[in-house]
Amino acid sequence: LPTTDPSINGFSIAGLCIPANEVGGDYYDFIELGDNKLGMVIADVSGKGLPAAFYMTLTKGIFQSYAKSFESPREVLIKVNSLLYHTIERGSFVTMFYAVLDKNFNKITFARAGHEPAIYVKSETGQTVFLRPPGIGLGLEDGNVFSKSIIDTEIILNSGELFFLYTDGFIDSRNKLSQEFGQQSIISLL
């Protein structure tokens, strides 16, 4: 995981991971792409513990090898899926949300491979929007269905707006009374 958060004039960007166990299958990263663009990725492997951590390490390497080669998040995820499908055992899969911030135009282009939706909070109205473009998990299918199910989507960020990515571990976390945090608590927090 990144040791520092990106410092970009006009943007506040931060990442955090607090694992429930010593190792796990959650991953996030920031990738400098050139042309004033920043890649932001978050992913989660099905399962827990060492097997999930192993698959996530594999996924990270595959993802990073393609992220700088393709401008479209959709194209990156198609390439990652193709290689991952032939690498991991059947029944395992990875969900991923990949977004590219174009700092010149305040534009975020993103694609979603079965991951939790991003949350977009509009500054003028405070309205919370769940961004759920179609897409299935990585490694479930060798490519034909996957490539047809995934699309690139764009939003323009205005001053004071929020784009939030998370894994299911955040909404599934429990307090001392065993109550789940849940999506409604995230909305209230944001």
Side-chain angles (χ1 to χ4, degrees):
L1 299 176
T3 55
T4 60
D5 294 325
S7 178
I8 300 172
N9 190 29
F11 295 89
S12 179
I13 300 173
L16 174 69
C17 180
I18 304 172
N21 298 313
E22 206 167 306
V23 295
D26 288 0
Y27 163 65
Y28 78 91
D29 208 352
F30 306 109
I31 300 101
E32 286 292 337
L33 299 173
D35 294 332
N36 248 352
K37 294 181 180 175
L38 176 73
M40 302 172 287
V41 64
I42 190 163
D44 189 6
V45 174
S46 61
K48 305 261 184 252
L50 279 176
F54 172 75
Y55 280 143
M56 188 49 72
T57 301
L58 179 67
T59 302
K60 174 184 176 181
I62 294 169
F63 172 79
Q64 288 182 342
S65 71
Y66 287 121
K68 291 187 178 183
S69 301
F70 298 92
E71 192 169 309
S72 159
R74 175 186 182 269
E75 291 301 316
V76 171
L77 294 180
I78 288 171
K79 295 294 185 186
V80 171
N81 178 71
S82 179
L83 190 51
L84 201 59
Y85 178 79
H86 297 289
T87 308
I88 65 175
E89 61 185 58
R90 300 292 59 89
S92 294
F93 63 94
V94 178
T95 65
M96 185 177 282
F97 199 111
Y98 179 44
V100 175
L101 170 64
D102 184 330
K103 300 174 250 184
N104 293 323
F105 300 100
N106 295 345
K107 177 177 74 172
I108 297 180
T109 305
F110 54 91
R112 176 177 162 257
H115 197 76
E116 297 293 328
I119 301 175
Y120 171 46
V121 182
K122 297 182 177 185
S123 60
E124 287 185 16
T125 62
Q127 177 188 13
T128 303
V129 179
F130 284 88
L131 303 173
R132 289 185 177 94
I136 62 174
L138 300 162
L140 290 171
E141 191 273 334
D142 67 355
N144 191 32
V145 173
F146 185 89
S147 62
K148 289 180 182 175
S149 75
I150 194 163
I151 63 169
D152 278 338
T153 305
E154 293 181 354
I155 61 169
I156 302 295
L157 282 179
N158 296 304
S159 180
E161 293 187 329
L162 180 70
F163 183 77
F164 183 75
L165 301 172
Y166 59 98
T167 66
D168 62 358
F170 192 58
I171 56 177
D172 292 344
S173 63
R174 297 179 177 276
N175 64 15
K176 292 177 184 178
L177 301 174
S178 273
Q179 299 165 320
E180 277 191 0
F181 190 69
Q183 281 187 332
Q184 193 54 50
S185 295
I186 292 176
I187 292 169
S188 297
L189 177 69
L190 297 178

